[in-house]
Amino acid sequence: MAPVGPVAAPPVALTIAGSDSGGGAGLQADLRTFTACGVHGCVAVTAVTVQNSVGVSGFVELPPETVAAQIEAVVTDIGAGAAKTGMLASAAIIDAIAKACDKVGIGRTAPIPFVVDPVSASMHGDPLLHESALDALRTKLFPMATLVTPNTDEVRLLVGVEVTDRASQYAAARALYELGPAWVLVKGGHLRHEPVCVDVLYDGSTFTELPAPRVDTPNTHGGGDTMASAITAALAGGASLPDAVAYGKRYVTKAVQHAYPLGAGVGPVSPFWRISPTPV
Ligand code: PLP
């Protein structure tokens, strides 16, 4: 048998997120996106949801100290080129994550860039974050974030701005920037009356609009997770923040174009759109 030569490790990304038993969103979408982007994915599990294409019927949370221990175990041994958050469930978990990230060097002024996707509810409206945790998100995680990636529903919950058009999208970006992240991405995917899906990126001085054609599909489960994970994968590979966001936008547009039906409800976007099935 031919000896195997030294193999270079791929970039590493860490997701701090909840499990979706239906496999369409959450850490399952994150890990599939990392893999499809050529990145080794590590995971700190926050909660386990009971979920299918019709909705979330419940979840259990992991102890906050177990969430923190997973982050520390991964970063102190394997390391990470970038990290992201998804479903965080509670204020106690957010508090533990903020402390662990601070300790291991994850954050906007630390070596490991930090993408905070402020997941609050599923697209069916099932809560994934206790209302009492919103303040912890705003005051503990946002000031540490390299980038925050809210959709219009999350903008309303976090800063009370109703995003209906480009002007209110800009106003939302300004209000979110005041909470302390280095960059804000206000996603426009939920503005369904617009034929073009425009996300707005803001760094405190410059607004950049990222347009993509709107895809007519009912199957958009996991879209937000997939975009934040593609951005995180690009950051783990050394991309600049604006390049990583542009990559994430292109990546999620393809994923929505390849979304597929599953179950009786809402099907998932496809994070593995560029991987062809391998004949066995
Ligand atoms: N379930 C989990 C565990 C998630 O993390 C998320 C989103 O981050 C969702 C469900 C909701 O996904 P969607 O809003 O695309 O239905």
Side-chain angles (χ1 to χ4, degrees), residues 18-20 25-26 49 51 87 119 121-123 128 220-223 225:
S19 167
D20 169 2
T49 70
Q51 183 170 181
M87 173 188 181
V119 172
S122 80
M123 62 198 321
L128 298 171
T220 56
H221 182 49
D225 314 65

Side-chain angles (χ1 to χ4, degrees), residues 11-245:
V12 174
L14 168 65
T15 181
I16 305 166
S19 167
D20 169 2
S21 51
L27 68 86
Q28 288 80 3
D30 296 349
L31 293 180
R32 288 189 307 191
T33 303
F34 290 163
T35 304
C37 293
V39 168
H40 175 93
C42 298
V43 56
V45 184
T46 55
V48 175
T49 70
V50 180
Q51 183 170 181
N52 58 23
S53 73
V54 189
V56 181
S57 56
F59 64 79
V60 292
E61 296 163 27
L62 266 78
E65 55 277 16
T66 307
V67 179
Q70 292 173 84
I71 295 168
E72 289 186 34
V74 167
V75 179
T76 55
D77 171 43
I78 299 168
K84 77 171 278 283
T85 62
M87 173 188 181
L88 302 181
S90 76
I93 291 177
I94 291 173
D95 193 40
I97 292 169
K99 289 192 178 114
C101 288
D102 200 38
K103 191 165 161 191
V104 300
I106 297 173
R108 55 168 295 185
T109 57
I112 304 173
F114 193 25
V115 176
V116 173
D117 187 15
V119 172
S120 60
S122 80
M123 62 198 321
H124 299 98
D126 309 306
L128 298 171
L129 183 76
H130 301 305
E131 219 174 302
S132 58
L134 276 176
D135 209 43
L137 202 52
R138 274 189 291 257
T139 59
K140 302 226 165 98
L141 278 197
F142 272 43
M144 299 180 70
T146 308
L147 172 72
V148 294
T149 61
N151 61 32
T152 53
D153 295 332
E154 291 153 359
V155 167
R156 188 183 326 104
L157 283 171
L158 287 160
V159 288
V161 176
E162 194 68 47
V163 175
T164 53
D165 56 10
R166 203 72 62 245
S168 48
Q169 215 172 353
Y170 278 44
R174 281 199 189 88
L176 289 156
Y177 183 78
E178 290 304 312
L179 296 174
W183 296 77
V184 175
L185 183 71
V186 178
K187 295 180 293 187
H190 290 192
L191 299 175
R192 300 201 192 279
H193 59 281
E194 294 192 348
V196 178
C197 171
V198 179
D199 299 340
V200 170
L201 182 64
Y202 182 58
D203 67 351
S205 58
T206 308
F207 291 96
T208 307
E209 294 190 4
L210 295 109
R214 183 169 293 281
V215 182
D216 186 18
T217 173
N219 302 315
T220 56
H221 182 49
D225 314 65
T226 299
M227 183 178 194
S229 294
I231 294 170
T232 306
L235 290 172
S240 70
L241 194 288
D243 285 352
V245 172

Side-chain angles (χ1 to χ4, degrees), residues 33 215 217 219-220 222-223 226-227 249-260 268-273:
T33 303
V215 182
T217 173
N219 302 315
T220 56
T226 299
M227 183 178 194
K249 178 72 172 171
R250 290 196 301 275
Y251 194 88
V252 77
T253 302
K254 289 279 195 184
V256 179
Q257 283 165 352
H258 289 77
Y260 47 92
V269 306
S270 172
F272 42 72
W273 54 267

